Amino acid sequence: MCGIIGVHDQERAAEMAMLGLFAEQHRGQESCGMAVSDGRRLKLRKKMGLVKQVFTPELLAELRGNIAIGHVRYPTCGSATEFNSQPHTVETLSGPSFALASNGDLVNYQSIRNDLESKGVYFASDNDGELLIKYIVYQVEKCGKSIVEGIKSLMENIKGAYSTVLATREELYMFRDPNAIRPMVWGIRSDGVVVAASESCALDILGIREAMEVRGGEIIVSGKNGVIKDSVDAEKLRGVKSFNHCMFEHVYFSRPDSFHFGENVYRVRQAIGQQLAEDDDCQADMVVPVPDSANFIALGYARKKEIPYEMGLIRNHYVGRTFIKPEQTIRDESVHQKFNTLPFFFQDKRIVLIDDSIVRGTTIRNLIRLIKNSGANEVHLRIGSPQVKYSCYYGIDTPTKNELIANKLTLEKIREYIGADSIKHLSINKLRKTVHKPDDYCYACFDGNYPIKPERELDREKYNDS
Ligand code: SF4
């Protein structure tokens, strides 16, 4: 769960990258970083904290250059330290310098790392981004390959999710894993500036209206010779025709004003709500979303059922996203700090409460208690996704299997535990109806069908943040 940005060629590239990262702040709030090239050297700045706190006007003034890559991080693997933050940089003896920022997790991290270490490559962190850059540098330095050839070798050998930007002193590279798991878009502004980002909302803020997908297995280079594209045979590497975009990006993570995987996130969320409402005979006085990620799911549900849609839960936007705070103690406190109810509002009402997913069950339990304490007669919970029963290996911080409430309790026991009067999830079949190309998606956290088999069970030695 991270966001990336890449900018070329604009003398205030760092300012543009900062704005792009700010638009992607929802993807990670622990740390942020940026590497900027002025054509002679790459400067790196990274720190724990939010984008606008870290990248002050004073710091941006130090980062003059026409190429910038940046990263906001939520640590899915590797500890929450500055050390594990991105971008990673490598200076080489033969000249080129590299900086890399990536979104996604690798599933054969350990075997690739072991192999590189056996060849004398040193690692300073346990972050996947460092593995990617060290792999490419090894291919270029020791195997005499071009950077594009090095990236192709990476795609043939490293498995998992990686939407990546790589900067040298003179070029910006953008590439994405053959499965195209995490989102990645790019565009060209009318003045020729090229921008790559995790989400199109970052391109919007930088004046690029037309977002294009960086396709799975594609490599795009923006340099002195303009934009050059190359690719591997992604279908052959995947072994199947279809991509494996993360369905959870639509359900929860991405901003509703983003467009990726050929879909508008806002529309998908509304369609999820409509599907959820179909065949639901629940009688209620109003539909209330858990803000913000369930807002549009609830809107779709309310319209379909013709029940009034009301914002009965008030969210404090300065707390941060509960799900992406890494420690359980911080999560628990955040729930109470984050939401409040309008007491008069729920008095003697039957409520349909809509949320996007249930992971540990902590947030929704506290919310239902709040709503009932505010006078609601009934709270019927409707969830815009199937039960989350399996861990994610591709860069989303779902916890280990035995921490997921759907693995510990039956649905009826979950209903009792969270205090709802009824509970229903969207089925996978109905979720598939909300997108144009349902076969191009990963649903593994719902059904356990992993498109790329992980090297080993989710291991919190490496995934040590939950
Ligand atoms: Fe997304 Fe779930 Fe697949 Fe992970 S397992 S990529 S969260 S759909």
Side-chain angles (χ1 to χ4, degrees):
M1 179 71 175
C2 298
I4 55 162
I5 192 87
V7 178
H8 175 253
D9 161 33
Q10 146 75 247
E11 63 181 36
R12 295 164 73 93
E15 276 94 335
M16 286 184 71
M18 184 275 289
L19 283 174
L21 288 179
F22 181 58
E24 295 181 340
Q25 188 77 80
H26 62 290
R27 298 186 70 85
Q29 301 161 345
E30 287 288 326
S31 66
C32 55
M34 205 188 289
V36 180
S37 170
D38 60 5
R40 287 176 292 118
R41 64 189 186 115
L42 276 164
K43 280 189 196 168
L44 175 69
R45 297 287 183 276
K46 51 186 180 181
K47 250 182 165 178
M48 307 304 287
L50 299 171
V51 173
K52 290 235 169 165
Q53 290 165 348
V54 170
F55 291 106
T56 58
E58 295 74 30
L59 184 56
L60 288 172
E62 290 173 22
L63 293 171
R64 289 282 163 222
N66 67 332
I67 301 176
I69 63 166
H71 191 263
V72 284
R73 178 168 194 255
Y74 170 73
T76 46
C77 69
S79 50
T81 63
E82 211 169 300
F83 220 45
N84 270 321
S85 307
Q86 299 192 43
H88 292 282
T89 53
V90 174
E91 298 279 342
T92 65
L93 292 174
S94 59
S97 298
F98 297 84
L100 179 144
S102 185
N103 174 210
D105 280 359
L106 311 176
V107 301
N108 61 343
Y109 172 91
Q110 201 57 52
S111 56
I112 298 288
R113 177 168 171 162
N114 292 347
D115 182 51
L116 286 173
E117 281 180 329
S118 74
K119 292 168 178 162
V121 177
Y122 167 76
F123 284 85
S125 74
D126 55 2
N127 180 266
D128 289 358
E130 188 188 7
L131 187 81
L132 296 175
I133 192 169
K134 293 279 168 76
Y135 187 93
I136 294 167
V137 171
Y138 186 86
Q139 296 300 315
V140 172
E141 283 279 284
K142 303 288 182 195
C143 306
K145 292 181 180 170
S146 69
I147 296 173
V148 168
E149 285 169 347
I151 295 170
K152 285 185 179 179
S153 170
L154 180 154
M155 289 178 171
E156 283 157 11
N157 291 292
I158 297 185
K159 309 288 178 214
Y162 48 87
S163 290
T164 311
V165 282
L166 173 102
T168 63
R169 290 192 194 111
E170 295 177 331
E171 289 167 323
L172 172 69
Y173 292 76
M174 312 158 233
F175 60 93
R176 191 176 179 197
D177 57 272
N179 298 71
I181 296 174
R182 305 255 73 84
M184 186 171 184
V185 291
W186 75 292
I188 307 177
R189 207 166 63 175
S190 54
D191 60 358
V193 176
V194 172
V195 180
S198 294
E199 291 189 38
S200 64
C201 60
L203 302 190
D204 289 343
I205 201 172
L206 297 172
I208 297 171
R209 295 306 302 179
E210 196 192 340
M212 298 172 273
E213 290 270 323
V214 177
R215 291 179 60 78
E218 192 173 30
I219 303 160
I220 302 170
V221 189
S222 180
K224 273 188 281 201
N225 300 324
V227 172
I228 297 166
K229 290 187 188 179
D230 207 332
S231 63
V232 292
D233 186 342
E235 194 177 318
K236 190 173 162 200
L237 287 177
R238 288 194 303 273
V240 289
K241 207 167 174 47
S242 48
F243 290 113
N244 308 106
H245 309 314
C246 172
M247 194 64 199
F248 235 111
E249 291 279 353
H250 285 319
V251 171
Y252 172 73
F253 294 113
S254 298
R255 264 176 52 162
D257 51 339
S258 283
F259 182 95
H260 48 237
F261 311 153
E263 305 281 353
N264 184 302
V265 177
Y266 173 90
R267 288 223 178 97
V268 175
R269 289 200 183 145
Q270 283 221 335
I272 287 172
Q274 285 162 7
Q275 289 295 329
L276 202 49
E278 265 187 12
D279 313 321
D280 187 359
D281 54 8
C282 180
Q283 303 296 313
D285 301 307
M286 61 172 111
V287 175
V288 175
V290 176
D292 291 324
S293 50
N295 287 355
F296 305 110
I297 299 175
L299 190 59
Y301 182 97
R303 281 189 179 151
K304 183 83 181 173
K305 291 274 290 178
E306 297 181 348
I307 300 175
Y309 171 88
E310 301 283 359
M311 299 293 289
L313 285 168
I314 305 303
R315 181 180 159 181
N316 181 337
H317 285 90
Y318 300 95
V319 175
R321 297 176 89 169
T322 310
F323 185 60
I324 64 169
K325 284 284 183 189
E327 288 168 26
Q328 186 62 48
T329 46
I330 301 174
R331 280 193 189 95
D332 291 346
E333 288 164 19
S334 294
V335 172
H336 299 291
Q337 291 170 33
K338 195 168 166 182
F339 295 103
N340 200 9
T341 56
L342 299 169
F344 60 89
F345 194 89
F346 288 113
Q347 201 62 49
D348 300 325
K349 295 284 192 317
R350 297 165 302 168
I351 308 298
V352 174
L353 181 65
I354 308 273
D355 205 354
D356 50 76
S357 56
I358 302 179
V359 178
R360 293 178 176 83
T362 321
T363 308
I364 201 68
R365 184 177 190 228
N366 286 320
L367 281 177
I368 291 173
R369 197 183 295 148
L370 263 178
I371 293 170
K372 288 213 164 170
N373 287 344
S374 301
N377 279 344
E378 296 170 18
V379 178
H380 301 275
L381 183 62
R382 297 295 179 264
I383 302 294
S385 63
Q387 285 190 282
V388 177
K389 290 191 170 180
Y390 302 89
S391 302
C392 176
Y393 292 87
Y394 315 126
I396 297 297
D397 181 40
T398 46
T400 51
K401 251 172 86 174
N402 54 15
E403 291 173 278
L404 295 165
I405 193 169
N407 275 325
K408 293 195 277 197
L409 302 175
T410 62
L411 192 58
E412 174 55 18
K413 288 283 179 204
I414 292 172
R415 186 198 65 73
E416 279 175 24
Y417 170 75
I418 62 179
D421 292 277
S422 71
I423 181 170
K424 272 188 186 165
H425 283 262
L426 191 69
S427 67
I428 290 190
N429 279 345
K430 289 200 166 195
L431 187 57
R432 289 172 60 91
K433 288 183 184 166
T434 63
V435 290
H436 291 98
K437 293 185 175 175
D439 289 346
D440 274 343
Y441 284 84
C442 170
Y443 306 89
C445 49
F446 311 124
D447 63 10
N449 290 323
Y450 291 101
I452 317 169
K453 295 286 170 253
E455 201 168 58
R456 56 185 180 180
E457 278 285 299
L458 196 61
D459 175 358
R460 291 294 169 189
E461 270 177 40
K462 178 165 179 267
Y463 294 74
N464 55 6
D465 298 303
S466 288

